[in-house]
Amino acid sequence: MENITEQLEAALAATRDVNQLDSDTKAHILTDLAEALRARVTVILFENEKDLKLLDADDPKRDRLVLNAERMEALAKSVLDVAKLPDPSGKLLNQQVLDNGLLLEKKAVPLGVVAVIYESRPNVTIDVAALCIRSGNVCLLRGGTDAFHTNQILVEIIQKVLIQNHLNPNIVQLLPTDRKFVQELLTATKFVDIIIPRGSQSLIDFVRAHAKVPVIETGAGVCHTYVEQSATIDKAVAIVANAKISRPSVCNALDTILLDEEIADLFLDGIIVPFEKERVEVFADERSYAILERLGYPYLQQANEIDFGREFLDLKCSIKVLNGLEQALTHIATYSSRHSECIVSNDSEKLERFMNAVDAAAVYANASTRFTDGGEFGLGAEIGISTQKLHARGPFALEKLVTEKWYVTGNGQIR
Amino acid sequence: MENITEQLEAALAATRDVNQLDSDTKAHILTDLAEALRARVTVILFENEKDLKLLDADDPKRDRLVLNAERMEALAKSVLDVAKLPDPSGKLLNQQVLDNGLLLEKKAVPLGVVAVIYESRPNVTIDVAALCIRSGNVCLLRGGTDAFHTNQILVEIIQKVLIQNHLNPNIVQLLPTDRKFVQELLTATKFVDIIIPRGSQSLIDFVRAHAKVPVIETGAGVCHTYVEQSATIDKAVAIVANAKISRPSVCNALDTILLDEEIADLFLDGIIVPFEKERVEVFADERSYAILERLGYPYLQQANEIDFGREFLDLKCSIKVLNGLEQALTHIATYSSRHSECIVSNDSEKLERFMNAVDAAAVYANASTRFTDGGEFGLGAEIGISTQKLHARGPFALEKLVTEKWYVTGNGQIR
C-alpha cells in the first residue's frame, strides 16, 4: 500500500452517515457493541495471544497489552457507560430572533473525523470508538504495532455491529501501523478535523511537531503541591502521600513538594512514614536535604536543577523549601506543565490568591491532585487530560467531541 | 535587536497584572482609551501621514491605511462599544459538589497572551487591544511595516492609559516589524497562548505552516448560494445580488451560484439586471453560459475548473447548473471552505436537509451570507471568522478570548 488516501476519503464520506443519527440510535449501537464484545471474548483473547507471543515475557508493555475475561467485561461495561452519557451533539447552545427577523441558532454538531494515535493499550480502541459513535463522529484509529491483531479483531467486531445496524462500516476504521502513513494522517487537513495523540511524551512531541491538522495535546503533568505554613500537618501529609503514592505512573500524580520553611520540619517528619514504607526516592533541595538527613530518611538524594519541572511517573519526587506564597507561585509558573496544582493551607486569602494566580487546567485547595480525571469530574470516560487552552482544558471527554455551527433562517433578508 | 524574547517574557509576566482585574476596572480603562484617542487625533493623523507618504498615490493599501477625523471617531466609538460588552472572564460555567464533598467549579478565565499578526489596517491595533483588555488578556501586536508609525503612536497612547491606571504597560505591546521575529513568535509556545493571523490567504497559510503556538484560522470564504427549484425567484435574485454586490471584498461575499436546472432560465433572467449594472464578471458552466449568452449578458466567460472553489473577493462569480439538492451538497462538500453556505428554497424538507448536511461555520436558509459577522450576530467586534472547528467557529469575538479552568476545593480529600 502506497498511501491511506482511500481510507481518509471513506472517513470523510462516512461523516454524513453518522452525524445525523439520533441519540437513541447511537446508544442502541453501543448496546449491541457491548453484547458483541461479550459474545466474542474467546476469539478476541485468541488474537490478543498472538500479539502477546511477539513480546518478551518481561516486556513492560505486556501488562498494558494483555486482555483477559475480567478486562473484557470491564471494556463491555465501559461501552454501556458511554451509551448512558448524554449525547453532546445536536444541543441548542443559543437561539434568538434578530431585529431584522432572522432566526439565529447556534448548535453543537459532531467534529467530523477524529483521529487518535496511540500505543499498545487495546482498551483505547474500544473507548475512542464508543465515544465517537456516541457523539456522531467518525474515528480513525492508529494503534501500536504491538496490538495489531487485537485491534484488528476489535475493529472487525465494531464494523460488524455497524453493518448489522445498516450503517457505513467506515464510521470506525483501523489505520495500518506502518510509520510512513503517520505523516499523511498528520497533514490530512482536508479529511481529518482533529488529531489526539495518546501515549508517551515523545509521541505527543512528534505529533505536535509535524501535524497540520489541529491537535488536542493531552500532555505531561508536572504537578506541585504547596504546603503553606498555616496548613494542618496531618492533612497535608495525607494529601501529599496520596498524590504521590496512590498511582505514581499517571499524569495527575505529584512530582514536586513545595514547603514553607516554618512547617518544613514538622511536615517532613510526618511524610517520611508513608514515603519510607513505599520507598519513595526523594530529590531534596539543600534545606529539605538537611532535615531529611537528620531524620535518617534512607531514599534520599540531592536535587539537581533538572529534578524540578520533571515528570517522574514513578515513586520519586523532588522537594523544595521556600518562603511564602509568592515564591511558590513563581516556582510553579516556572516549572509547571499547567496540568494540576495544589495548595494545602488554612488561610482563606492565600487559598484564593493561589487558586486564581496559578495558570493550570485544574487548581486544588486541600485535596489530592489525583482527582483530575474525566470519571472523577463526572464527565465519563476521557481521551486524556488537555494541558492546552483552546477548545478543551482538563479532562477531554465526550462533551468536547463537538464543534459549533450557526443556523441562520430567514425569509429573504439582505444586508 | 537579535530577538524578541524580552518582549515575550514581559508579556507572560503582564498576564498576572491583567487577568484578575474586575469588569468595571477594565471597562474604565477602555473609556479612558476612547477619550485619549479623541484628545490626540492631531498627533495620530500626523504619524499616519508619515506612513502614507511612503506609499505610492495609487497603492491599493492606501485606503486600508488612511486615518481621518471620521475614522478616528469611529475607532473611539468602537472602543466604547467593547467596554459595554459583557466581560467573558470570571464566568462560572459549572458548579457542583461531588459525592466525596469536593466542590468542583469550572470558570472561564483569560487565555493569557494573545498574538495577532496583521497587515496594514491600523484599526486592528485598537480593536484587538480593546478586546484583549476587556477580557483580561495580554496582547502582542505584530502589524505591517506600512502602518509602522501609526501603530507606534496608537500603542504609545494605549500604554499611557494603562500607566495612568497604575497598570503594567506591557499588557499591550507592539512587536517590531522585521520578518525574522515572526518565526520566534510563531514558535514561542512557552509565552504565547494563541496566534491569530488576520489578513491575506498567503499570510494565513504562512502562519499555519510555521506556527507551533495554537492558531485560530480566520480563513478564506468560498461561499455558495444554491437556488433550489421551489425558490421564489425574486427573493433568490435579491439574496444572490446582495451576497455578491454589497461588499465583494469580504470573506462572506458570494463566490458561486448553484442553480437547479428547472429555474435556471428564470433566475438568470432576473439576476442579469443587478449584475449588469455593477458589471459583475460571470464564469459560467456550459449550461448557464448558453442561457446567459442567449440573454446577451455582456460580462461573460466560460468557467474553468479553477473557478469553482475560488474566492473572488471582487465583482466576479462562478455559476453552475445542476439537478437537485444532492448534487448541490456534493458540489459544496467538494469546493466549500466551510465558511458560509446558503440555500434559497420553499421546500421545508430540503431546507432542513441542506442546513444539517452542509459542513460550514454558518448555514443559511433564504438569507444573504453577508450576515456572517460578529456585529450582525450580536457578538460585538470580531477578530475574524474562524473556519476551523476547535475552540471557535464562525465570528471569533470577545466571548472566545477565554479558556476554562477547573477549581477543586476540598478539606483533605484523597483518592
Side-chain angles (χ1 to χ4, degrees):
Chain A
M1 198 162 57
E2 284 302 302
N3 56 53
I4 52 169
T5 315
E6 263 180 50
Q7 278 190 278
L8 298 175
E9 285 170 350
L12 181 59
T15 57
R16 272 172 269 163
D17 298 313
V18 68
N19 68 13
Q20 296 304 316
L21 296 179
D22 63 48
S23 177
D24 288 349
T25 305
K26 291 182 286 190
H28 181 75
I29 297 164
L30 295 183
T31 316
D32 284 359
L33 175 57
E35 216 167 277
L37 290 172
R38 282 170 177 157
R40 303 202 57 199
V41 167
T42 316
V43 62
I44 294 167
L45 297 187
F46 181 79
E47 293 296 320
N48 185 238
E49 192 55 37
K50 286 188 195 168
D51 287 327
L52 291 168
K53 270 186 188 145
L54 298 169
L55 287 186
D56 289 339
D58 58 349
D59 192 313
K61 284 184 207 148
R62 213 175 169 80
D63 178 58
R64 277 178 266 162
L65 176 56
V66 71
L67 290 177
N68 52 38
E70 195 187 331
R71 286 190 177 184
M72 281 306 305
E73 179 52 28
L75 263 186
K77 229 192 126 287
S78 79
V79 172
L80 292 177
D81 286 345
V82 172
K84 280 176 216 139
L85 289 172
D87 181 358
S89 81
K91 206 167 147 185
L92 189 61
L93 304 171
N94 210 326
Q95 185 176 42
Q96 58 180 313
V97 178
L98 303 178
D99 291 343
N100 57 18
L102 281 177
L103 170 65
L104 181 68
E105 295 167 301
K106 186 163 77 169
K107 291 186 191 170
V109 298
L111 283 167
V113 178
V114 175
V116 181
I117 304 182
Y118 53 109
E119 295 171 336
S120 37
R121 295 180 195 273
N123 62 308
V124 176
T125 309
I126 296 296
D127 284 349
V128 170
L131 290 168
C132 284
I133 290 171
R134 187 73 192 104
S135 51
N137 287 289
V138 167
C139 72
L140 292 173
L141 300 159
R142 201 286 189 181
T145 318
D146 299 328
F148 178 72
H149 294 96
T150 312
N151 285 336
Q152 209 173 32
I153 185 69
L154 291 174
V155 172
E156 192 186 303
I157 291 169
I158 298 167
Q159 292 186 328
K160 272 199 188 146
V161 169
L162 290 167
I163 292 168
Q164 278 163 14
N165 281 275
H166 312 289
L167 286 169
N168 187 337
N170 294 324
I171 290 167
V172 176
Q173 292 183 63
L174 187 66
L175 295 176
T177 55
D178 194 322
R179 267 227 139 178
K180 71 178 176 186
F181 302 129
V182 172
Q183 190 63 26
E184 184 178 355
L185 179 65
L186 295 179
T187 53
T189 49
K190 207 179 146 188
F191 301 109
V192 182
D193 293 294
I194 177 174
I195 290 186
I196 306 163
R198 190 172 159 173
S200 67
Q201 191 58 43
S202 63
L203 169 68
I204 293 164
D205 290 343
F206 180 83
V207 170
R208 185 180 180 157
H210 295 87
K212 296 292 165 230
V213 175
V215 173
I216 289 287
E217 214 175 307
T218 56
V222 177
C223 303
H224 301 76
T225 294
Y226 166 51
V227 184
E228 194 269 334
Q229 57 169 303
S230 71
T232 306
I233 297 297
D234 290 356
K235 212 177 263 184
V237 167
I239 288 169
V240 167
N242 179 264
K244 181 68 264 179
I245 294 167
S246 60
R247 201 169 168 203
S249 67
V250 293
C251 57
N252 57 21
L254 177 144
D255 295 288
T256 300
I257 308 169
L258 302 175
L259 298 175
D260 266 347
E261 193 172 27
E262 292 81 349
I263 47 78
D265 278 278
L266 267 176
F267 174 83
L268 291 171
D269 193 43
I271 198 70
I272 56 171
V273 183
F275 270 21
E276 190 166 345
K277 200 173 148 207
E278 299 291 331
R279 301 169 176 241
V280 175
E281 200 174 328
V282 169
F283 298 82
D285 77 329
E286 208 175 316
R287 287 193 274 182
S288 57
Y289 188 91
I291 302 169
L292 288 165
E293 200 179 30
R294 181 161 38 81
L295 293 170
Y297 187 70
Y299 312 107
L300 183 61
Q301 295 195 39
Q302 279 175 333
N304 292 309
E305 172 63 19
I306 59 148
D307 298 318
F308 298 103
R310 175 173 168 195
E311 188 182 27
F312 290 99
L313 298 171
D314 202 349
L315 283 169
K316 296 176 182 174
C317 72
S318 52
I319 303 185
K320 187 174 189 175
V321 175
L322 36 75
N323 298 93
L325 175 61
E326 295 306 316
Q327 285 188 10
L329 291 177
T330 302
H331 182 96
I332 291 170
T334 310
Y335 295 103
S336 161
S337 70
R338 303 181 174 183
H339 187 297
S340 300
E341 303 293 349
C342 172
I343 179 172
V344 185
S345 168
N346 287 312
D347 181 327
S348 60
E349 263 179 45
K350 286 180 178 164
L351 287 168
E352 194 186 333
R353 166 97 179 119
F354 181 94
M355 302 279 273
N356 284 324
V358 168
D359 183 21
V363 287
Y364 285 81
N366 298 319
S368 165
T369 54
R370 289 275 295 106
F371 288 104
T372 306
D373 173 89
E376 294 292 330
F377 280 10
L379 304 169
E382 70 187 30
I383 300 188
I385 307 290
S386 164
T387 52
Q388 60 178 47
K389 293 187 180 174
L390 298 190
H391 191 75
R393 199 178 193 204
F396 185 82
L398 186 66
E399 56 165 15
K400 292 291 184 178
L401 284 171
V402 289
T403 181
E404 302 168 349
K405 181 171 164 183
W406 294 89
Y407 286 68
V408 189
T409 306
N411 52 14
Q413 281 84 349
I414 59 173
R415 188 176 169 194
Chain B
M1 197 161 58
E2 285 301 302
N3 57 53
I4 52 169
T5 314
E6 264 180 49
Q7 278 191 277
L8 297 176
E9 285 170 350
L12 182 59
T15 56
R16 272 173 267 163
D17 298 313
V18 69
N19 69 13
Q20 296 305 316
L21 295 179
D22 63 48
S23 176
D24 288 350
T25 306
K26 290 182 284 191
H28 181 75
I29 298 164
L30 295 184
T31 315
D32 284 358
L33 175 57
E35 217 167 277
L37 290 172
R38 282 170 176 157
R40 302 202 58 200
V41 167
T42 316
V43 61
I44 294 167
L45 298 187
F46 180 79
E47 293 296 320
N48 185 239
E49 191 55 37
K50 286 187 195 169
D51 287 328
L52 291 169
K53 270 188 188 142
L54 298 169
L55 287 186
D56 290 336
D58 59 348
D59 193 314
K61 285 184 207 149
R62 213 176 168 80
D63 178 59
R64 277 178 266 162
L65 177 56
V66 71
L67 290 177
N68 52 38
E70 195 188 331
R71 284 190 177 184
M72 281 307 304
E73 179 52 29
L75 263 186
K77 228 192 126 287
S78 79
V79 172
L80 293 176
D81 287 345
V82 173
K84 281 177 215 139
L85 289 172
D87 181 359
S89 81
K91 207 167 148 186
L92 189 62
L93 303 171
N94 210 324
Q95 185 177 42
Q96 56 180 316
V97 177
L98 303 179
D99 291 344
N100 57 17
L102 282 178
L103 170 64
L104 181 68
E105 295 167 301
K106 186 163 77 168
K107 290 185 191 171
V109 298
L111 284 167
V113 177
V114 175
V116 181
I117 304 181
Y118 53 109
E119 295 172 336
S120 35
R121 295 179 196 271
N123 63 307
V124 176
T125 309
I126 296 295
D127 284 348
V128 170
L131 290 168
C132 284
I133 291 172
R134 187 74 193 104
S135 51
N137 286 289
V138 167
C139 73
L140 293 172
L141 299 159
R142 201 286 190 181
T145 319
D146 299 328
F148 178 70
H149 294 96
T150 312
N151 285 335
Q152 209 173 31
I153 185 70
L154 291 174
V155 172
E156 192 187 302
I157 291 169
I158 297 167
Q159 292 186 329
K160 274 199 186 145
V161 169
L162 290 167
I163 291 168
Q164 280 164 14
N165 281 276
H166 312 288
L167 286 169
N168 187 338
N170 295 324
I171 290 168
V172 176
Q173 293 183 63
L174 187 66
L175 294 176
T177 54
D178 195 322
R179 267 227 138 178
K180 72 178 175 186
F181 302 129
V182 172
Q183 190 63 26
E184 184 178 354
L185 179 65
L186 294 179
T187 54
T189 49
K190 208 179 147 189
F191 301 108
V192 182
D193 293 295
I194 175 174
I195 291 186
I196 306 162
R198 192 173 158 171
S200 66
Q201 191 59 41
S202 65
L203 169 68
I204 293 164
D205 290 343
F206 179 83
V207 169
R208 184 178 181 160
H210 295 87
K212 296 293 166 229
V213 175
V215 173
I216 290 287
E217 214 175 309
T218 56
V222 177
C223 304
H224 301 77
T225 295
Y226 165 50
V227 184
E228 193 269 335
Q229 58 168 303
S230 72
T232 306
I233 297 298
D234 290 356
K235 213 177 261 184
V237 167
I239 289 168
V240 166
N242 179 264
K244 180 68 266 179
I245 294 168
S246 60
R247 202 170 166 201
S249 66
V250 293
C251 58
N252 58 21
L254 176 145
D255 295 289
T256 300
I257 308 168
L258 302 174
L259 298 175
D260 266 347
E261 192 173 28
E262 293 81 351
I263 48 78
D265 278 276
L266 267 176
F267 173 83
L268 291 171
D269 193 44
I271 199 70
I272 56 171
V273 182
F275 270 21
E276 189 166 345
K277 199 174 148 207
E278 300 292 332
R279 300 169 176 239
V280 175
E281 202 173 326
V282 169
F283 298 82
D285 77 328
E286 207 174 318
R287 287 192 274 181
S288 57
Y289 189 92
I291 301 169
L292 287 165
E293 200 180 28
R294 182 162 37 82
L295 293 169
Y297 187 70
Y299 312 107
L300 183 62
Q301 295 194 40
Q302 277 175 334
N304 291 311
E305 173 62 19
I306 58 149
D307 299 317
F308 298 103
R310 176 173 168 195
E311 188 182 26
F312 290 99
L313 298 170
D314 202 349
L315 284 169
K316 296 175 182 173
C317 72
S318 53
I319 303 184
K320 187 174 188 174
V321 175
L322 36 73
N323 298 91
L325 176 61
E326 294 307 316
Q327 285 189 11
L329 292 176
T330 301
H331 182 96
I332 290 171
T334 310
Y335 296 103
S336 162
S337 69
R338 303 180 175 183
H339 187 298
S340 300
E341 302 295 349
C342 172
I343 178 173
V344 185
S345 169
N346 287 311
D347 181 326
S348 60
E349 264 180 44
K350 286 182 177 163
L351 286 168
E352 195 187 332
R353 165 96 180 121
F354 181 94
M355 302 280 273
N356 285 324
V358 168
D359 183 21
V363 286
Y364 285 81
N366 298 319
S368 165
T369 54
R370 289 276 295 105
F371 288 103
T372 306
D373 172 270
E376 295 292 329
F377 280 9
L379 305 169
E382 71 187 29
I383 300 189
I385 307 292
S386 164
T387 51
Q388 60 179 48
K389 293 187 181 175
L390 298 190
H391 191 75
R393 198 178 194 204
F396 185 82
L398 186 65
E399 57 164 15
K400 291 292 184 178
L401 284 170
V402 289
T403 181
E404 301 169 349
K405 181 171 164 182
W406 294 88
Y407 286 67
V408 189
T409 306
N411 52 13
Q413 281 85 348
I414 60 174
R415 189 177 168 193

